[in-house]
Amino acid sequence: MSNELSIIAPALNEEKNIEPLTLKIIEHTKKTKFEIIFVDDNSTDQSKKILLNLAKKYKFFNPILRRKKRDLTQSCFDGIEKAKFKNILILDADLQHDPKYIPQMLKEFNKGQDIVIGVRKLTSGKNKGLSETRRFASIFLIFFFKIFNIQTKDPMSGFFLFKKDIYLKNKKRFFGKGFKILADILINSKTKLKAKDVPINFNRRYESESKMNTKILLILINFYIISLIKKFLTY
């Protein structure tokens, strides 16, 4: 059983969310040895200043300030590379993923899962963070990912807990760019991962804008096509 976590939050222009999310994480990880790694993806607001101030305040706070081309997946990968613990939790920096679910996710993870996923209630229940357009788009994309026979109802989730070894053993196999790191890990890991879903309420975005746009969707479609080709080439 392990209660050590490296918590990674990719962030772009999240100046108003960084400290509130940090306080929420602290509140819900009191029985856990953890570090928080905000990975700032070259923000243009005051995010960097806030991150550096928090790093002076908390020993467990270890931000990364990227200077490279913006990319959410690469931000997550940079955080994983820096992580000092063997268990990794990814969540968004915009407060849509509530840290209150971390203890439950960790409990399921310690039952022997490779990965535990905070899944949105896309067909029923509370989803304040999803417009109807995004909800139907997510359902549509998830339908197409079913061909890969992955063990989750929400491969598009950005809230999940997994073993760092999975990344280290498979990083050369990953698509490695774009928006949805979870689907990349589930589809392109060499061995099938043992996964467990934990239903969550997906909160509304508080003080930032959605990063989803047409360019991101095109990258996602490209990832899907490449993964599909790789799947059939291995038959």
Side-chain angles (χ1 to χ4, degrees):
M1 183 172 180
S2 176
N3 286 314
E4 295 181 339
L5 278 180
S6 291
I7 301 170
I8 298 170
L12 173 61
N13 296 330
E14 300 286 359
E15 60 180 6
K16 294 181 180 180
N17 294 325
I18 292 169
E19 189 163 9
L21 177 58
T22 298
L23 294 177
K24 281 180 172 288
I25 290 173
I26 293 170
E27 178 185 357
H28 293 289
T29 53
K30 292 177 180 178
K31 296 181 180 180
T32 306
K33 186 176 182 180
F34 68 95
E35 64 173 339
I36 301 175
I37 304 175
F38 276 90
V39 187
D40 182 78
D41 204 5
N42 207 3
S43 293
T44 55
D45 62 4
Q46 295 299 307
S47 292
K48 297 173 187 176
K49 181 179 179 180
I50 293 168
L51 290 170
L52 291 174
N53 286 338
L54 288 172
K56 294 176 183 177
K57 184 177 181 180
Y58 298 116
K59 291 182 179 180
F60 56 75
F61 200 89
N62 301 306
I64 297 174
L65 307 181
R66 297 186 82 241
R67 297 287 188 269
K68 304 172 187 177
K69 183 179 178 181
R70 287 175 177 169
D71 187 285
L72 184 141
T73 294
Q74 286 301 316
S75 293
C76 290
F77 286 177
D78 287 352
I80 296 168
E81 290 281 355
K82 183 177 180 178
K84 65 181 180 181
F85 296 127
K86 63 181 181 179
N87 302 321
I88 307 292
L89 185 134
I90 306 286
L91 80 169
D92 290 347
D94 55 15
L95 296 174
Q96 289 194 287
H97 298 139
D98 197 326
K100 73 179 182 180
Y101 295 105
I102 293 177
Q104 183 182 356
M105 293 172 72
L106 189 57
K107 181 179 178 181
E108 294 295 338
F109 184 73
N110 281 324
K111 291 179 182 179
Q113 307 295 336
D114 294 315
I115 187 163
V116 174
I117 302 158
V119 300
R120 299 164 294 173
K121 302 168 186 175
L122 294 171
T123 56
S124 64
K126 296 180 180 179
N127 269 306
K128 295 179 181 179
L130 281 178
S131 65
E132 284 301 291
T133 300
R134 280 196 64 191
R135 186 172 73 86
F136 282 115
S138 294
I139 293 172
F140 179 77
L141 290 166
I142 289 168
F143 173 79
F144 282 98
F145 277 114
K146 284 185 178 180
I147 194 172
F148 297 103
N149 193 30
I150 47 184
Q151 295 181 348
T152 180
K153 293 180 179 179
D154 191 5
M156 308 296 289
S157 175
F159 189 19
F160 57 99
L161 168 61
F162 70 111
K163 299 174 182 177
K164 183 174 180 177
D165 277 352
I166 292 171
Y167 167 80
L168 295 175
K169 292 176 181 178
N170 294 284
K171 60 182 179 179
K172 292 183 179 179
R173 300 172 56 89
F174 295 143
F175 182 69
K177 59 183 177 180
F179 199 70
K180 293 299 179 181
I181 176 178
L182 175 60
D184 198 358
I185 291 172
L186 290 170
I187 291 170
N188 291 316
S189 291
K190 189 173 182 180
T191 58
K192 189 173 182 178
L193 301 179
K194 187 178 179 182
K196 174 71 175 181
D197 286 349
V198 171
I200 65 168
N201 291 327
F202 191 60
N203 295 330
R204 69 179 178 87
R205 183 176 282 104
Y206 282 84
E207 298 289 352
S208 61
E209 297 180 357
S210 174
K211 311 304 186 294
M212 177 66 82
N213 54 38
T214 303
K215 181 180 178 181
I216 294 299
L217 285 173
L218 289 174
I219 292 173
L220 189 56
I221 291 169
N222 187 33
F223 159 70
Y224 179 82
I225 293 171
I226 290 173
S227 298
L228 196 62
I229 292 171
K230 286 170 64 177
K231 175 181 174 66
F232 284 105
L233 284 177
T234 58
Y235 283 166

